[in-house]
Each structure stands twice: as structure tokens, then as C-alpha cells.
Amino acid sequence: MTMGSDERNKRDRVPPNQRVTTGFPVLHYGDVPKVDLENWDLRVFGLVEEEKRWTWEEFLQLPQTTVHNDIHCVTGWSKLDNTWEGVLVRDLLKDVKIKPEARYVMLHAEEGWTTNLPLEDFMRETSLLARKHNGEELTPDHGWPLRAVVPHLYFWKSAKWVRGIEFMKEDREGFWERNGYHRYGDPWKEQRFAWD
Ligand SMILES: Nc1nc2c(c(=O)[nH]1)N[C@H]1C(S)=C(S)[C@@H](COP(=O)(O)O)O[C@H]1N2
Ligand SMILES: [Mo]
């Protein structure tokens, strides 16, 4: 039997040593946080001319976009053909004046969880803050009400329950990065652990 072009195309979308799953595994450290939308906000701070904060109502007023992508978890699963709805990072930060010395971003989630990435990667046109996955609101275990989605890096960079975006001059390690994961995490180069 020959492989159809669709199958071949899908195979080329899976990074080395990843297996495709049709499920949606749940992975995180600690418990699913209880979030109250009344007190929820998203803050931008660090190396910006002016700090900014959106309430949930304000966040919903931002332009909402639907994107399609594949995601790759460092534990070895990839999930193809996801649809996400939310706000593109570029749209969110359109009016935020980031200081020129900012080179890195720290994403802050509920309960102090963090992950770091280069500013350039966060600002890619494919990065977003998502409210919905495959047409449904995120479930609490997948990051409700809002999670980052940075599909070109391993999925641990996609902070669930995101609440803050910090701009930094120097790179600092986030939670998993301090615990042995790679600083950058390119799935195509298999940058899984700090020593890879
Ligand atoms: N706040 C928070 N976000 C997180 C994590 C976490 O522990 N806390 N784990 C990361 C890891 S290791 C992965 S693989 C993905 C898993 O997302 P999922 O549970 O929706 O599949 O979330 C990432 N985002
Ligand atoms: Mo992960």
C-alpha cells in the first residue's frame, strides 16, 4: 500500500521521537488552580514604558483570532490539527511600548509557575493567548480561562492559567527550566533537557 499525500504530509509534521496522539493529555505541576473571573487580570510588566493590565471583560474586547497548529510535548506526544481561538500576542501587545533592551519574556501563571522564552519567539505571528480549543472553552485542566500557545516550541512553554507577561533584558529560568528542561526547547532539534 502506498501512503497518501495527506499521510506523508502528516508524517513530516511530527518532530523526531514524537508519537501522534488523538487524545489530549493533561500535564502540569501541582493542582488545577481555582480561578475567579471577577478578580482575574492579565498584567504586562518589566521592561515596558508603561505597565498594563486587562480585566477579563477588557480582554474579551481585544481582536479575537482563530488559528490552526500542531503541538509537541517534551514527554513524547504530538497532537496535530488543533484549532485555538484567542488573542494573538502581536495584537495584545500592539499598543505596549516594549523597551529596546528587552530580549526575553517570562510568562507567569497562577500560583507562581513560570516559563521563559526569547522575546522574538513570543512575538511570532503564530503565538497566541487562547481561550478555546477545538471550538470549546478551555477546560480547567487545560488552562481555563487563558493559556499561552507557542506551537513552535515544546508545549511546556505554553503556560496554562497565564496571568502575567514580564519583559526582561537577561534570560532567567522558569519552573521546568530550573528543573532540568532546556532553556529554549526546539522540538525539531530535540532540545528536551538542559544537557541536550
Ligand atoms: N501553569 C502551568 N502551565 C503549564 C504547565 C504547568 O505545570 N503549569 N505544564 C506545561 C507542560 S509540561 C505541558 S506539556 C503543557 C501541557 O498542557 P496540557 O495539559 O493542556 O496538555 O502545559 C504546560 N503549561
Ligand atoms: Mo510537558
Side-chain angles (χ1 to χ4, degrees):
M1 251 192 38
T2 56
M3 235 193 304
S5 64
D6 192 44
E7 285 309 303
R8 202 175 311 124
N9 168 282
K10 282 200 174 172
R11 193 190 52 190
D12 291 343
R13 285 159 55 190
V14 183
N17 294 308
Q18 294 288 110
R19 290 173 310 279
V20 172
T21 178
T22 50
F24 194 178
V26 171
L27 277 165
H28 53 258
Y29 177 80
D31 297 325
V32 174
K34 289 200 174 49
V35 180
D36 170 12
L37 287 186
E38 291 293 309
N39 301 317
W40 184 95
D41 63 3
L42 178 67
R43 290 181 53 226
V44 165
F45 58 101
L47 294 174
V48 286
E49 294 298 339
E50 218 176 316
E51 296 195 353
K52 207 169 153 58
R53 123 177 223 282
W54 295 267
T55 64
W56 184 248
E57 287 306 316
E58 289 165 345
F59 186 81
L60 295 178
Q61 301 308 310
L62 294 166
Q64 308 286 319
T65 304
T66 301
V67 305
H68 304 277
N69 60 32
D70 302 334
I71 56 181
H72 313 291
C73 175
V74 70
T75 59
W77 54 267
S78 290
K79 185 170 173 57
L80 306 182
D81 298 313
N82 300 278
T83 300
W84 304 94
E85 191 181 322
V87 175
L88 296 178
V89 169
R90 292 200 166 176
D91 289 335
L92 179 80
L93 299 177
K94 199 158 58 71
D95 300 323
V96 173
K97 290 193 185 65
I98 303 166
K99 293 190 178 173
E101 59 268 35
R103 300 269 317 282
Y104 294 91
V105 167
M106 186 72 82
L107 299 181
H108 294 260
E110 299 279 349
E111 299 177 356
W113 191 90
T114 51
T115 190
N116 58 303
L117 66 165
L119 177 61
E120 198 184 324
D121 290 82
F122 187 57
M123 296 298 280
R124 278 208 194 177
E125 69 275 13
T126 48
S127 302
L128 79 154
L129 299 182
R131 294 187 295 114
K132 291 187 176 182
H133 177 259
N134 291 353
E136 307 281 342
E137 246 184 32
L138 291 175
T139 54
D141 51 357
H142 286 299
W144 181 90
L146 192 70
R147 76 174 303 157
V149 179
V150 182
H152 71 286
L153 299 177
Y154 278 126
F155 204 38
W156 89 80
K157 300 283 183 183
S158 294
K160 304 197 273 192
W161 314 294
V162 66
R163 292 290 300 274
I165 302 164
E166 179 186 1
F167 295 90
M168 319 184 290
K169 182 165 184 234
E170 313 283 351
D171 200 8
R172 257 167 41 218
E173 294 176 320
F175 178 83
W176 286 121
E177 294 81 5
R178 274 199 304 280
N179 287 283
Y181 279 29
H182 199 277
R183 250 166 205 275
Y184 184 64
D186 181 345
W188 298 96
K189 294 184 178 154
E190 278 202 80
Q191 295 173 336
R192 297 174 193 271
F193 304 106
W195 50 87
D196 283 336

